[in-house]
Amino acid sequence: MKNVRVFFSKTGAGKYISHLDTNRVMLRAIGKSRLDIWHTEGFHQHAYITFALPLSLGFASDCESMDFRLLDDDVDLDEIPAKLNACLPLSIRVYRCAEAKHKAADIDSAAYDVRIEPMNASDISVKELYDKLNGFLDLSEIIVEKKTKKGKKQVDLKGYILDCSTDFSETVLLKLRLPAGATLNINPSLLIGAFEEYCGIELYADVTRIGIYTKEGESFE
Amino acid sequence: MYPKEIEKYLLKVQKPGRYVGGELGEVIKDKQDVDVRFAFCFPDTYEIGMSHLGIKILYSLFNEKPYIWCERVFAPWIDMEEQMRAHDIPLYALESGDPLTDFDFIGFTLQYELSYTNILNMLSLGGIPVLSKDRHDLNHIVVAGGPCACNPEPITDFIDIFFLGDGEEVDLEVIELYRDYKRAGKSKEEFLRAAAQISGVYVPALYDVTYHDDGTIAAITPMDGAPATIEKRAIMDMDSCYYPDNFVLPNIEIVHDRAVMEIFRGCIRGCRFCQAGFLYRPVREKSVDCIDRECHALCRNTGYDEVSLSSLSSSDYSQVVPMLKRLNAWAKPEKVSLSLPSLRVDGFTDDILDEIKSVRKSGLTFAPEAGSQRLRDAINKNVFEDELINTCRVAFEGGYTTVKLYFMIGLPTETMDDVAAIAELGRKVVDTYYSVENRPKGKSPRVTVSASSFVPKPFTPFQWEPQDTMPMLREKQQHIRQSITTKKITYNYHDSDTSFLEAVFARGDRKLNKAMLLAHQRGMRFDSWGDCFSLQNWLDVFEACGIDPAFYANRRRSFDEILPWDHLDYGVSKEFLKRECERAYASQTSPNCREACMNCGAKKYGGGVCFEKR
């Protein structure tokens, strides 16, 4: 038995497949691909798969991963992406399969590309929006309300922005790195929501997760 | 591919996955390569429509033809509709993202009466005129099929063509005729007149209906050479009938998220309340070989680990145990579980239990339909109390603790004693649990009793019967509640308001078209959803149109009245239905099709159970 990790992208229509539905789509793809993977041994036996870091509904990603245990040690891991892709919608593409290097608990941060534009183009020009974004990021603190299991609490996002840069062309681009993982996870939607409030106009943000990193700053593999 | 401009609005609505398509198994063609584009519309949400077997069959069947591109369209939920209307986004098909106006055919499936307003709303969202008479050219032909096509009179102003019976053949014949007429530059009227000559095709515009002063029908007169009666189509050889070997696999969870294998059409039973039991006569089975082959391919191609063996009454499949054993030969090693929905109380044997409990154990559901033996005889349910109790004992001994029992109230000839007997039967099931020696240790039974309100339907022996009024139904619902004395029974009942509206439309005539249009203009849709349904809004519509809904729901028809669907022929004769109705009044049962032939008329199709050796 071999613990393996497949890496996949989720784009286009795939953005609207929730985390739970992604789980379902993957289970069916594994069934259809006839990959022999380990099943749970309880009363309702099912194929056992796990995901390192859930992706919010509406986000695209270039760096999702899923773990499972292959029962046959002789399977060529390089053949697995093609096998699964034949059984997945085009909006989910597996591009690599390897034995897991890190543990899910090693995940420390994630990087995002956020493309921001006004919901109504007449509200503000891209250049003005870009200037506003830079002004917003220069604020000394960005206080938002974060919902936690224990209720709502005020947090200052400013301290959580590990990296950021801005640019603009047809839309405003915000490149961000935020804490991620089981202990502390900051969803970029919090920051976008705060920016929207700061602007006072309705915004549309297209978010893509572009990287997941460990404490040591290595790419999660 | 969804239209790019909706992307901004998708995150403002619930379950945006409903609106983007892109599923594995969807069929994408180049529109330049096809002659006919068919928008298959399901007048309810994605999750419900995607669970429907008919759309899966016809979608694959149409798309096998190189010259047709069939796409799927579902009713957007109210939040999405709001976004679409606010931003001028027309209703589009999931495969191409093209609006309904790009299609030659806009086809609806009529599964329940309360979805009719959604049909009008979908047409208007798609930019298609809702009234047939406002669509002049030979395109945007609006067609409809499915069980409610057996009395489509309340929606004849909106639909150009109805398909009666099985769609696998007739739909293609009409599409092909359209292709020829389109090439020849013919008009819509010429096409409809020619289509009306195809068996199973009903073109309502070619029939004139006149009424007596009391509102009943005086005559239904065909025009322009249309046939006086339209006969349903029936596929007789199920083994050679088209069945898909793959489904469009939804990316979001749908209601029935599993493989579905049809094992036969029709039902031998003839329960007098059940419309499907008469509409789909005669029973036509697939062979075990065919089921085994098609089902295995379907599971392999879809990756589903659960398959539902679908029919109106699974245990009546003549080879049920051999079939289950044959399927389990591969299903067990491949970890695929088999489920048999629609199991009859008297069909639940140890053999069947052994084959289906092997993988998954859920609750059991039975439908005794009536509480007392007298009433079960009157409705010809042919289930005996001791059979139910024995079956429950088998189930409890097999480790089940949950039993659901479905009943109807408001059945013809019903008394308050019959109603109280529903609670009594539930109690007997609870008692049975405690009488089983090797029942599951330390668990108490959960018995759910559900009561829905009876809706008299066309082509049943009860088609002449009045529906109980809403106050009567509510009184009966409460009478059951008061008759339940144990906490082991959970009691549910269905809202009688929606059953009333269903009764109006089920046996409605063409005068209801006016109400349907006004309801649509007032923004009514999703009547089958509690969030949207308002009986008061409907009563206001009826009043504004000068329509008395009780005329349709609560009136007893005489046997010699011309019924709105009398020009449609589903194989069962009116004489047979009258005989069955009279037997119901005498609380007299009828044998099922395998025991004896009651001469319903379906023998004329020349096959199926009518020609099995008895």
Side-chain angles (χ1 to χ4, degrees):
Chain A
M1 196 150 61
K2 207 188 282 185
N3 283 321
V4 300
R5 181 166 292 160
V6 293
F7 296 87
F8 60 94
S9 62
K10 224 168 145 239
T11 55
K15 289 190 287 191
Y16 308 104
I17 307 175
S18 69
H19 180 64
L20 280 177
D21 287 330
T22 303
N23 186 61
R24 231 185 307 274
V25 167
M26 285 294 184
L27 284 175
R28 218 170 40 211
I30 288 168
K32 183 168 156 63
S33 72
R34 313 208 59 71
L35 276 179
D36 203 7
I37 80 162
W38 185 76
H39 281 59
T40 58
E41 288 164 351
F43 196 83
H44 295 304
Q45 301 187 359
H46 59 88
Y48 186 75
I49 58 175
T50 55
F51 294 84
L53 189 64
L55 185 69
S56 294
L57 184 73
F59 287 14
S61 175
D62 301 331
C63 54
E64 293 308 287
S65 70
M66 167 178 78
D67 296 0
F68 51 84
R69 297 176 201 164
L70 274 178
L71 291 178
D72 181 357
D73 287 339
D74 298 329
V75 174
D76 181 358
L77 298 190
D78 292 340
E79 286 176 4
I80 286 179
K83 274 189 181 157
L84 284 174
N85 282 337
C87 305
L88 283 166
L90 289 173
S91 56
I92 295 179
R93 292 291 90 186
V94 175
Y95 55 84
R96 201 156 78 83
C97 177
E99 289 191 50
K101 185 170 156 191
H102 301 107
K103 293 195 194 85
D106 296 337
I107 293 174
D108 185 57
S109 69
Y112 305 89
D113 276 0
V114 184
R115 288 182 176 77
I116 308 170
E117 58 188 297
M119 194 60 98
N120 303 303
S122 57
D123 282 353
I124 192 170
S125 74
V126 173
K127 175 70 173 75
E128 284 172 292
L129 189 62
Y130 171 73
D131 292 338
K132 277 210 179 226
L133 179 61
N134 287 325
F136 169 71
L137 293 169
D138 284 342
L139 293 174
S140 57
E141 54 174 25
I142 301 172
I143 305 292
V144 296
E145 213 164 63
K146 187 179 188 298
K147 279 183 210 143
T148 65
K149 280 172 191 155
K150 288 172 198 149
K152 289 176 184 168
K153 70 173 187 191
Q154 303 270 319
V155 289
D156 179 7
L157 290 181
K158 186 80 183 181
Y160 289 128
I161 301 175
L162 304 172
D163 264 325
C164 82
S165 67
T166 57
D167 198 355
F168 75 96
S169 56
E170 279 170 24
T171 60
V172 173
L173 173 67
L174 167 64
K175 292 180 86 69
L176 262 182
R177 195 161 61 85
L178 294 170
T183 41
L184 175 68
N185 195 70
I186 301 291
N187 191 312
S189 299
L190 283 175
L191 192 69
I192 298 160
F195 177 51
E196 190 168 35
E197 213 162 280
Y198 172 83
C199 291
I201 52 171
E202 202 182 355
L203 300 175
Y204 169 67
D206 180 17
V207 183
T208 304
R209 183 146 78 191
I210 56 165
I212 297 174
Y213 305 98
T214 65
K215 285 182 201 67
E216 290 71 34
E218 286 180 39
S219 197
F220 176 75
E221 283 178 0
Chain B
M1 201 49 215
Y2 52 93
K4 187 72 189 151
E5 65 264 31
I6 69 162
E7 195 145 58
K8 279 187 170 179
Y9 313 116
L10 282 175
L11 290 180
K12 294 184 174 189
V13 303
Q14 288 176 9
K15 303 187 188 176
R18 291 164 164 172
Y19 309 111
V20 296
E23 305 94 330
L24 189 66
E26 70 167 1
V27 178
I28 303 291
K29 296 188 181 184
D30 186 335
K31 59 187 172 193
Q32 309 303 328
D33 299 342
V34 299
D35 298 333
V36 180
R37 296 188 67 184
F38 194 109
F40 201 123
C41 304
F42 194 98
D44 213 314
T45 61
Y46 178 90
E47 298 93 303
I48 294 176
M50 281 292 287
S51 303
H52 179 243
L53 180 60
I55 189 170
K56 296 175 204 274
I57 296 175
L58 295 174
Y59 179 84
S60 301
L61 173 73
F62 292 176
N63 279 320
E64 289 233 321
K65 300 283 174 201
Y67 73 91
I68 306 172
W69 185 11
C70 176
E71 305 183 38
R72 297 159 299 143
V73 185
F74 301 97
W77 185 242
I78 50 178
D79 56 355
M80 185 61 177
E81 179 184 347
E82 192 185 321
Q83 296 294 331
M84 292 170 77
R85 289 200 188 273
H87 302 101
D88 285 327
I89 297 162
L91 184 63
Y92 55 90
L94 291 180
E95 279 75 2
S96 63
D98 291 338
L100 288 189
T101 44
D102 285 7
F103 287 80
D104 298 288
F105 282 95
I106 296 137
F108 288 93
T109 176
L110 309 174
Q111 296 298 312
Y112 25 87
E113 293 81 0
L114 297 186
S115 67
Y116 290 168
T117 43
N118 277 10
I119 295 177
L120 275 62
N121 198 40
M122 287 171 78
L123 287 174
S124 95
L125 270 171
I128 305 278
V130 295
L131 288 165
S132 180
K133 68 176 171 64
D134 295 335
R135 301 187 296 263
H136 306 290
D137 302 329
L138 187 55
N139 61 11
H140 309 156
I141 303 296
V142 179
V143 300
C148 294
C150 76
N151 178 31
E153 296 304 286
I155 51 171
T156 48
D157 286 356
F158 316 105
I159 310 284
D160 299 312
I161 293 178
F162 292 101
F163 298 122
L164 311 190
D166 297 337
E168 283 97 336
E169 293 169 350
V170 61
D171 294 13
L172 288 177
E173 290 164 20
V174 169
I175 293 171
E176 196 146 347
L177 181 79
Y178 173 90
R179 181 166 73 150
D180 294 345
Y181 271 55
K182 186 93 187 169
R183 275 187 185 150
K186 301 272 178 82
S187 69
K188 178 181 172 184
E189 287 68 31
E190 288 171 302
F191 165 68
L192 291 179
R193 278 202 295 274
Q197 299 303 319
I198 297 174
S199 171
V201 172
Y202 172 40
V203 178
L206 301 182
Y207 295 80
D208 184 46
V209 183
T210 52
Y211 300 91
H212 294 298
D213 289 343
D214 66 0
T216 58
I217 291 172
I220 302 169
T221 316
M223 300 179 295
D224 290 332
T229 55
I230 302 105
E231 206 176 322
K232 77 159 180 187
R233 290 291 284 270
I235 306 280
M236 296 314 294
D237 180 4
M238 291 301 289
D239 277 9
S240 63
C241 177
Y242 178 82
Y243 200 76
D245 62 1
N246 207 349
F247 290 166
V248 179
L249 296 168
N251 290 332
I252 63 169
E253 189 174 20
I254 60 170
V255 180
H256 298 295
D257 207 359
R258 59 185 81 101
V260 185
M261 182 68 223
E262 186 182 22
I263 58 175
F264 65 92
R265 265 177 214 179
C267 179
I268 59 171
R269 297 286 166 171
C271 302
R272 292 176 182 133
F273 55 85
C274 175
Q275 189 183 38
F278 296 98
L279 287 185
Y280 298 112
R281 287 186 173 213
V283 164
R284 292 145 287 157
E285 295 191 341
K286 284 191 185 212
S287 67
V288 172
D289 282 345
C290 178
I291 292 167
D292 183 49
R293 185 178 64 248
E294 292 181 348
C295 191
H296 201 177
L298 192 60
C299 289
R300 283 282 177 109
N301 289 335
T302 58
Y304 277 121
D305 61 1
E306 188 183 352
V307 56
S308 172
L309 301 164
S310 174
S311 70
L312 291 172
S313 177
S314 311
S315 50
D316 286 334
Y317 181 62
S318 59
Q319 306 291 317
V320 63
V321 173
M323 171 190 70
L324 290 172
K325 285 193 189 318
R326 181 83 167 270
L327 295 176
N328 265 334
W330 54 265
K332 265 188 192 165
E334 294 180 22
K335 298 190 174 70
V336 171
S337 67
L338 308 174
S339 67
L340 272 182
S342 314
L343 262 188
R344 277 178 65 88
V345 168
D346 52 358
F348 191 86
T349 62
D350 284 348
D351 282 353
I352 292 179
L353 186 64
D354 283 348
E355 296 297 328
I356 59 171
K357 83 166 184 189
S358 48
V359 185
R360 189 172 289 267
K361 183 181 296 192
S362 59
L364 286 175
T365 304
F366 296 112
E369 311 291 5
S372 70
Q373 195 58 48
R374 206 273 318 153
L375 189 54
R376 281 196 297 276
D377 288 348
I379 62 174
N380 203 36
K381 183 66 191 182
N382 288 327
V383 160
F384 297 98
E385 186 174 303
D386 55 347
E387 289 174 326
L388 174 71
I389 297 301
N390 279 334
T391 295
C392 290
R393 181 170 296 123
V394 170
F396 294 145
E397 282 169 351
Y400 286 87
T401 56
T402 303
V403 174
K404 283 186 193 162
L405 301 173
Y406 285 179
F407 297 93
M408 274 187 285
I409 51 171
L411 289 162
T413 77
E414 183 179 61
T415 65
M416 278 310 200
D417 288 344
D418 294 318
V419 173
I422 291 173
E424 180 63 14
L425 194 55
R427 189 189 57 78
K428 285 176 187 163
V429 171
V430 172
D431 290 349
T432 304
Y433 182 85
Y434 287 108
S435 75
V436 170
E437 290 287 332
N438 51 344
R439 63 179 179 262
K441 293 284 171 287
K443 288 183 183 168
S444 69
R446 288 219 335 258
V447 176
T448 303
V449 168
S450 291
S452 58
S453 304
F454 172 63
V455 179
K457 297 266 171 146
F459 295 103
T460 67
F462 294 151
Q463 63 179 357
W464 296 278
E465 292 294 312
Q467 185 186 43
D468 271 0
T469 61
M470 284 183 283
M472 285 157 77
L473 290 169
R474 286 196 198 105
E475 193 188 330
K476 288 178 178 177
Q477 286 166 352
Q478 292 315 312
H479 192 58
I480 297 176
R481 175 177 298 290
Q482 286 152 10
S483 307
I484 291 174
T485 50
T486 163
K487 289 209 168 88
K488 311 280 186 222
I489 296 178
T490 310
Y491 171 53
N492 303 318
Y493 54 87
H494 292 261
D495 176 29
S496 57
D497 291 4
T498 49
S499 303
F500 174 69
L501 190 66
E502 194 183 327
V504 172
F505 286 115
R507 293 182 299 168
D509 58 27
R510 292 192 175 189
K511 287 173 282 184
L512 290 175
N513 278 283
K514 200 162 75 169
M516 197 62 75
L517 184 62
L518 183 62
H520 165 64
Q521 286 162 346
R522 291 184 176 180
M524 288 152 68
R525 71 274 196 255
F526 282 111
D527 290 310
S528 56
W529 291 75
D531 333 32
C532 297
F533 178 78
S534 155
L535 183 64
Q536 191 54 51
N537 287 349
W538 271 105
L539 295 176
D540 294 346
V541 164
F542 289 134
E543 197 182 340
C545 295
I547 287 170
D548 174 16
F551 174 81
Y552 300 100
N554 309 118
R555 180 174 63 94
R556 180 180 296 284
R557 283 83 166 153
S558 75
F559 280 150
D560 50 17
E561 180 176 327
I562 297 176
L563 301 171
W565 53 92
D566 270 358
H567 53 312
L568 309 182
D569 177 0
Y570 273 74
V572 288
S573 71
K574 212 168 174 180
E575 285 309 312
F576 161 73
L577 295 175
K578 275 183 208 168
R579 289 198 300 274
E580 282 294 301
C581 184
E582 277 157 355
R583 288 170 81 98
Y585 293 154
S587 303
Q588 191 182 358
T589 62
S590 292
N592 72 48
C593 294
R594 289 215 168 90
E595 291 166 344
C597 178
M598 298 300 282
N599 293 316
C600 70
K603 198 169 184 173
K604 70 177 176 182
Y605 296 109
V609 69
C610 309
F611 293 83
E612 271 177 22
K613 284 201 185 99
R614 283 193 193 90

